[in-house]
Amino acid sequence: MTQFSELPFVNQFSEDETQSLSKLFRYEQFPPGSHIFASENPGSAVFFILKGEVELRLLSETAKDIPPDIRTSGDVFGESTLLTNTQVKDLNKFYPLCAQAKDHLAVLRLDYRDYDLLANENPRLALRLLKAINSMAHQASYKYIKKLSDANERLSKEIQNLKEQNAVHPTKYFTEQEVIQARQVIMESILDSVSPTHPIYDFGMRMIPAKAVGGDFFDFIPLSRDRIGIAIGDVSDKGLPAALFMAVTRSLLQAEAHRGGSPDKVLQRVNRNIIDMNNAAMFITVFFGILDFRSHEFSYCRAGHEIPFLVTADHNSIPLQRGQGQPLGIIDELIVDVQTIIIPPGGTLILYSDGVPDALDPNEIPFSRERLESELKNLRFNSAQEACNQIVSMIMTYQGTAAQFDDITLCAIHRNDFRDEA
């Protein structure tokens, strides 16, 4: 495809790689005013603009005052499902996004299904392509956010002048909260996970982002009819680079988990890939385990992440074995060991990020891991989602009027049969 050679990242690939990648892309044209996608059709594709302009606009009520983002030739846009393997919605909210051609638009389209095939056939080439797309998306998002920030700075100065003249018109400027919201929408459009269903197990998850864009993630990765991978992680940095680093790590984890192997082998392969592409010197803590639905055996590795708790049916709270393991992205040869537990009937496994024990009350006293272990014994819930909701409510009550400075992320696995199987 001759149009593929026009993409700015093509020179990063060999001639054979370029030929393989070009087969994944489809050339499309849109007349002025046409909708590439809209809120009722989230889609699962990324678009690379060859010619023309596209207007991206959030349609939610809270975003009505945020100006549209205009993408032009050389930019990328889309629903980010290439990075997440899910539709663009977070757990409790949906951010309707409309993409409309401003003039005659020519694009190359990459669908998730085609990318998924590449990831299975050639993971390293798929990773390099994903890095190139992330770089383009980061640049485009940065330009938009900088435009908002610059506008906010200019208009804030105008507001200050108006205040001095006793003529303030607060609806004429973008607040800092609106700029934060624009950044947060970008992060939340990357992060999503769909709760699996199973006759014996149920799953829950909650994420309360802090004001600053963070790099927390969790994921449920179906591996077979009888096995599922469960992961939670936290990038060391904040902001859009951390969110993009998180998305790449999550995609790597999905790809490597599907390749097979024990949890330590999966994390070691992910770590090697991160080391190869980690120019930003970030690292990420990850907890990853594989649950066998038949034996109820949960094998896991902890790469520097918070230690989960097992809450039993009789309300005991038991921390999992610590094991050894370093965060991903620091050393070439990752040393992690595999631990194994059996989830008992009525048992619930609680995974969380450091935003839970590090949450501060108005006196700046952290909630602490010890308090969490104690309070888990007092909770009464019938499902994994109820457990997550009650923990979040407990943390919010503890924080009171104190500001939240880190993401609060939880996921849980609950075995809902209350008898041993013969």
Side-chain angles (χ1 to χ4, degrees):
M1 179 187 294
T2 57
Q3 293 93 344
F4 182 74
S5 62
E6 299 179 34
L7 297 182
F9 56 74
V10 169
N11 58 3
Q12 301 177 28
F13 300 94
S14 68
E15 185 175 342
D16 289 342
E17 290 171 336
T18 299
Q19 186 174 1
S20 298
L21 292 176
S22 66
K23 298 175 182 178
L24 305 178
F25 291 76
R26 186 167 72 249
Y27 180 73
E28 293 184 348
Q29 299 185 70
F30 298 91
S34 58
H35 287 85
I36 294 85
F37 55 77
S39 58
E40 65 274 8
N41 180 26
S44 58
V46 175
F47 300 86
F48 300 83
I49 303 176
L50 300 175
K51 180 181 179 181
E53 292 186 341
V54 65
E55 178 181 278
L56 304 179
R57 182 180 291 276
L58 291 166
L59 301 180
S60 62
E61 181 65 22
T62 56
K64 63 183 180 180
D65 293 326
I66 297 179
D69 183 10
I70 307 299
R71 301 285 170 94
T72 62
S73 176
D75 286 337
V76 62
F77 69 96
E79 293 292 329
S80 298
T81 47
L82 180 64
L83 306 181
T84 64
N85 190 14
T86 52
Q87 291 185 340
V88 179
K89 54 184 179 181
D90 86 0
L91 303 177
N92 302 307
K93 296 176 285 185
F94 179 64
Y95 294 98
L97 182 69
C98 174
Q100 186 175 21
K102 287 179 64 65
D103 50 16
H104 184 82
L105 187 68
V107 299
L108 287 181
R109 174 180 178 138
L110 174 61
D111 286 300
Y112 170 75
R113 291 181 180 178
D114 295 323
Y115 178 82
D116 191 41
L117 290 174
L118 177 66
N120 290 327
E121 295 173 359
N122 192 336
R124 294 192 69 84
L125 181 58
L127 171 63
R128 291 172 58 205
L129 176 60
L130 183 59
K131 287 167 57 180
I133 295 172
N134 275 336
S135 178
M136 291 181 65
H138 183 198
Q139 292 174 16
S141 299
Y142 176 80
K143 287 190 294 184
Y144 177 49
I145 292 168
K146 188 175 187 306
K147 182 176 73 172
L148 289 177
S149 299
D150 290 345
N152 182 64
E153 183 177 357
R154 291 194 306 271
L155 293 171
S156 293
K157 290 179 179 179
E158 293 179 10
I159 290 297
Q160 184 61 37
N161 292 335
L162 290 172
K163 283 182 178 179
E164 294 173 358
Q165 300 170 19
N166 295 319
V168 181
H169 300 286
T171 60
K172 291 185 179 181
Y173 68 98
F174 299 108
T175 66
E176 180 182 0
Q177 180 59 38
E178 288 170 331
V179 176
I180 291 171
Q181 183 184 24
R183 293 186 298 175
Q184 190 162 305
V185 166
I186 295 170
M187 194 259 307
E188 290 178 345
S189 70
I190 294 174
L191 180 59
D192 185 33
S193 188
V194 174
S195 177
T197 57
H198 189 270
I200 294 179
Y201 285 89
D202 59 83
F203 302 81
M205 55 278 202
R206 286 290 299 274
M207 190 178 107
I208 311 297
K211 288 185 177 181
V213 181
D216 281 13
F217 80 92
F218 56 84
D219 206 359
F220 300 106
I221 309 171
L223 301 176
S224 69
R225 180 177 180 180
D226 299 315
R227 297 167 69 246
I228 188 170
I230 298 106
I232 187 169
D234 184 5
V235 178
S236 59
D237 205 352
K238 302 297 178 188
L240 283 172
L244 291 170
F245 188 77
M246 172 273 293
V248 171
T249 302
R250 186 165 178 253
S251 295
L252 280 171
L253 188 54
Q254 289 176 346
E256 295 298 343
H258 282 112
R259 284 183 61 190
S262 56
D264 59 329
K265 300 303 182 186
V266 171
L267 289 187
Q268 285 166 352
R269 294 197 300 264
V270 171
N271 181 68
R272 283 194 291 269
N273 283 308
I274 290 176
I275 291 290
D276 289 344
M277 49 77 69
N278 190 10
N279 296 326
M282 295 185 192
F283 64 86
I284 181 169
T285 66
V286 175
F287 180 94
F288 175 66
I290 297 175
L291 172 64
D292 188 311
F293 289 134
R294 293 177 301 176
S295 66
H296 310 291
E297 185 177 271
F298 183 71
S299 301
Y300 66 89
C301 282
R302 191 186 69 89
H305 198 75
E306 296 290 335
I307 300 172
F309 288 96
L310 175 65
V311 181
T312 62
D314 56 355
H315 311 300
N316 282 325
S317 177
I318 305 168
L320 270 58
Q321 290 294 316
R322 176 182 296 271
Q324 63 175 338
Q326 307 82 24
L328 308 185
I330 297 179
I331 60 175
D332 292 338
E333 297 301 325
L334 182 71
I335 301 174
V336 288
D337 53 18
V338 179
Q339 307 287 330
T340 301
I341 63 167
I342 299 295
I343 299 182
T348 305
L349 192 61
I350 306 292
L351 282 62
Y352 57 94
S353 67
D354 59 5
V356 173
D358 291 347
L360 300 178
D361 70 3
N363 295 319
E364 298 188 353
I365 298 173
F367 187 77
S368 79
R369 182 173 171 274
E370 292 74 20
R371 188 189 301 269
L372 176 62
E373 181 177 359
S374 176
E375 292 294 341
L376 285 175
K377 300 175 183 179
N378 300 322
L379 298 183
R380 300 294 182 267
F381 49 82
N382 296 312
S383 70
Q385 191 59 54
E386 284 185 15
C388 291
N389 292 343
Q390 289 183 26
I391 295 170
V392 166
S393 178
M394 179 171 60
I395 296 298
M396 294 296 103
T397 300
Y398 182 82
Q399 283 185 164
T401 58
Q404 179 185 337
F405 68 92
D406 200 2
D407 298 342
I408 294 174
T409 303
L410 291 150
C411 61
I413 306 101
H414 173 66
R415 181 179 171 185
N416 55 38
D417 64 327
F418 287 87
R419 60 180 176 81
D420 288 313
E421 297 178 343

